[in-house]
Amino acid sequence: MGPVCNILPEILCEFPAISNHTMRAFKRAVDGSFKDFVRAYGNAIDHATQPLQLFLNWLQDLFTDSPWIIVLLVLLVVVHLAGRDAKITIGTAISMLAIGLVGLWEDTMVTLAMVTVCTLISIVIGIPIGILMARSSRTQAVVSPLLDIMQTMPSFVYLIPVVMIFGIGKVPGLIAVVIYAIPPIIRLTNLGIRLVDKEVLEAADAFGSSPRQKLFNVQIPLALPTIMAGINQTIMMALAMVVVASMIGVGGLGKNVLQAITNQFFTVGFMNGFALVGIAIIFDRTSQAFGKRLQKHQEVLHG
């Protein structure tokens, strides 16, 4: 202790932490509750997540078993229809061909299937929650702190309860990725709907629109660019989490990166990282271009 502590009471120099015995009892109680929950409801949880497993396996098999040229052409068509930008389409073709040339096509398809399923689940869950937050300040007050925790919690921590409840495998990894990636789409859906011009809402009320009509015909269309920004961020976070989730059984590029870190294979890690960056840029540029098109369309309609 320093000289200052010699003249102060001990309680002011050493923080009065909870005793080790009490902390051990608390940890045993919490861990035991988790284990009891898994024993009681483990089979029910497995049955509930079975459709996710089947859908993910089907999509992964579709991507990996289909001829590469067909997958590439379909991807280019989707990118072009969404972005309507020749530069993005050409960049996508070059990136995917480069990924295939270094022997990472199949692993990239596995990762693509995982990110696609995670994004779809995030959209299905996140947008309704964002709408509820926009329509109810009480719901926003309850959900916002949970989103704060989800966004600030270290990504590795998500794996602990997921593994305890669901075990090791693709579905637990998928659930961990969704938990990590879903906050942006919830927040930006809420923000987009709340930012809709009040004069537009008053005009809708004047025409006798019901709350449901106002939501689907006015608020959501006007909030679409912001919602698309949320989807964009969700995709980026899902790609970032795929590497961490590879620790609990998610295959694809994330598994290769983890193995490269473990074995100190710089080249393998760099190439798989390049593939992840390529996918991220494709998703980012395409979703941004689509969001800009939506925004211009809304400005034309209401300009």
Side-chain angles (χ1 to χ4, degrees):
M1 293 185 184
V4 176
C5 287
N6 293 332
I7 59 175
L8 290 175
E10 184 178 350
I11 191 171
L12 297 179
C13 291
E14 293 186 10
F15 199 90
I18 300 172
S19 68
N20 290 333
H21 175 75
T22 303
M23 286 303 299
R24 281 196 298 269
F26 172 75
K27 292 173 184 175
R28 280 198 299 269
V30 174
D31 292 344
S33 298
F34 259 106
K35 292 174 183 176
D36 291 341
F37 175 82
V38 173
R39 289 193 205 98
Y41 301 103
N43 290 333
I45 291 171
D46 289 339
H47 287 304
T49 57
Q50 191 67 24
L52 280 179
Q53 180 78 59
L54 294 174
F55 179 59
L56 180 59
N57 289 341
W58 173 79
L59 191 63
Q60 183 175 305
D61 291 342
L62 179 66
F63 284 178
T64 55
D65 294 343
S66 299
W68 70 268
I69 187 66
I70 294 177
V71 176
L72 179 60
L73 289 175
V74 171
L75 180 61
L76 293 177
V77 169
V78 171
V79 168
H80 183 70
L81 290 177
R84 299 291 174 88
D85 190 325
K87 292 180 181 178
I88 296 175
T89 306
I90 293 171
T92 299
I94 294 172
S95 299
M96 296 306 295
L97 289 172
I99 287 170
L101 287 173
V102 297
L104 295 175
W105 182 267
E106 185 169 339
D107 289 328
T108 300
M109 291 300 103
V110 172
T111 300
L112 198 62
M114 173 64 72
V115 173
T116 301
V117 175
C118 291
T119 303
L120 290 175
I121 294 172
S122 297
I123 290 172
V124 170
I125 297 174
I127 290 180
I129 294 175
I131 292 172
L132 288 174
M133 289 176 66
R135 294 168 70 87
S136 169
S137 296
R138 182 175 297 177
T139 302
Q140 178 173 263
V142 172
V143 176
S144 290
L146 297 177
L147 296 179
D148 293 337
I149 294 171
M150 291 166 69
Q151 288 189 291
T152 55
M153 186 78 71
S155 55
F156 287 94
V157 177
Y158 290 117
L159 303 183
I160 300 171
V162 168
V163 169
M164 289 181 70
I165 296 174
F166 299 99
I168 301 292
K170 293 178 183 177
V171 170
L174 185 148
I175 292 170
V177 173
V178 170
I179 293 172
Y180 181 77
I182 200 173
I185 193 170
I186 297 176
R187 286 190 185 279
L188 288 172
T189 299
N190 172 36
L191 179 65
I193 293 176
R194 286 181 177 271
L195 288 179
V196 173
D197 196 335
K198 291 183 179 180
E199 293 181 359
V200 177
L201 298 178
E202 289 173 359
D205 289 331
F207 282 103
S209 297
S210 66
R212 182 183 180 85
Q213 290 172 328
K214 192 164 60 175
L215 174 65
F216 287 100
N217 297 334
V218 179
Q219 290 174 299
I220 290 180
L222 290 175
L224 268 179
T226 308
I227 294 173
M228 280 303 305
I231 294 174
N232 173 282
Q233 292 303 305
T234 291
I235 294 171
M236 296 300 105
M237 294 184 74
L239 280 167
M241 187 63 180
V242 159
V243 177
V244 178
S246 64
M247 297 176 65
I248 58 172
V250 175
L253 298 171
K255 181 189 70 175
N256 296 342
V257 171
L258 185 63
Q259 290 176 346
I261 293 171
T262 304
N263 298 297
Q264 299 181 4
F265 293 154
F266 172 76
T267 307
V268 173
F270 179 81
M271 288 192 299
N272 283 272
F274 161 77
L276 282 168
V277 169
I279 296 174
I281 291 174
I282 291 169
F283 277 123
D284 179 64
R285 297 294 184 271
T286 304
S287 57
Q288 281 191 17
F290 185 63
K292 289 178 181 177
R293 284 182 56 223
L294 285 175
Q295 193 166 10
K296 288 180 180 177
H297 181 65
Q298 296 299 335
E299 289 174 357
V300 170
L301 287 178
H302 300 92

